[in-house]
Amino acid sequence: MSTLTGMAMDWFISLPNGHITSFAQLSQLFREQYIANRAPPPVSYDLFDVKQYQGETLKEYINHFGAQVVKVGTTEEPMIVYAFRKGMCPGPFCESIIRSRPRTFAEIRRRAVEHIAREGEVCEKRTRPQLEGRVKRGSARMRRGGPRREGERRGIGR
């Protein structure tokens, strides 16, 4: 009794005096009382509940989905691949999986790693010229006497 707290203690106190005659009986009554609070064991079809949320990266989705695959413990590759595809948000990677269907989740991971790397390179190439242009324009303004003030035009106001 000294280890019970909260609702479990309230439940224990509500039992009639002399009702429990053994620890085995107490254990059985306790399990019956709280069995509904136990989460059902995961089943393979729970994979269809895993969705990629808006703004969730491909890497985050794969990790989230992969954790559920481990929890479920299924080895049914066609179902895993289908559930993964069904849970994805539309986009370039989803389209590539629809065009060329992977056979295993390991293949999805491999292709996703390649896709993420390519996406990172493209993003880096897009931002590099913009950053270089800002530096060049900024240094040219500094040579001409600093940045312009609001409303100031070239050659006017000096």
Side-chain angles (χ1 to χ4, degrees):
M1 182 172 142
S2 63
T3 60
L4 298 177
T5 61
M7 289 177 53
M9 177 61 96
D10 294 341
W11 167 79
F12 181 76
I13 292 172
S14 73
L15 294 173
N17 286 339
H19 182 72
I20 297 178
T21 58
S22 69
F23 183 75
Q25 183 186 14
L26 172 64
S27 296
Q28 180 63 31
L29 287 172
F30 187 82
R31 280 193 301 273
E32 289 171 0
Q33 176 69 22
Y34 291 103
I35 192 116
N37 294 344
R38 198 172 105 201
V43 293
S44 57
Y45 289 99
D46 288 339
L47 293 177
F48 288 94
D49 294 334
V50 181
K51 305 287 184 209
Q52 183 180 18
Y53 299 104
Q54 203 67 19
E56 184 178 26
T57 65
L58 177 58
K59 183 178 180 179
E60 291 167 337
Y61 175 58
I62 284 181
N63 289 336
H64 181 142
F65 188 88
Q68 189 67 20
V69 168
V70 170
K71 192 183 290 183
V72 166
T74 186
T75 57
E76 299 173 49
E77 289 292 340
M79 187 188 64
I80 294 170
V81 169
Y82 189 71
F84 180 85
R85 196 180 80 211
K86 282 294 195 186
M88 285 191 73
C89 287
F93 188 70
C94 183
E95 291 170 14
S96 79
I97 284 187
I98 290 170
R99 277 193 310 271
S100 173
R101 293 185 175 166
R103 296 185 188 277
T104 65
F105 188 54
E107 185 180 344
I108 288 174
R109 285 180 192 253
R110 182 188 53 75
R111 286 173 55 182
V113 167
E114 292 170 1
H115 178 81
I116 291 166
R118 279 193 311 270
E119 220 172 40
E121 289 174 15
V122 168
C123 185
E124 187 179 312
K125 286 180 181 179
R126 283 182 186 154
T127 57
R128 192 178 307 139
Q130 291 173 353
L131 293 174
E132 289 171 357
R134 287 181 190 159
V135 171
K136 287 178 187 175
R137 283 192 299 267
S139 60
R141 283 186 184 147
M142 294 307 282
R143 284 193 300 270
R144 288 192 307 260
R148 293 186 205 124
R149 291 180 290 262
E150 189 175 320
E152 183 181 36
R153 297 170 76 197
R154 209 176 287 176
I156 300 174
R158 285 194 193 170

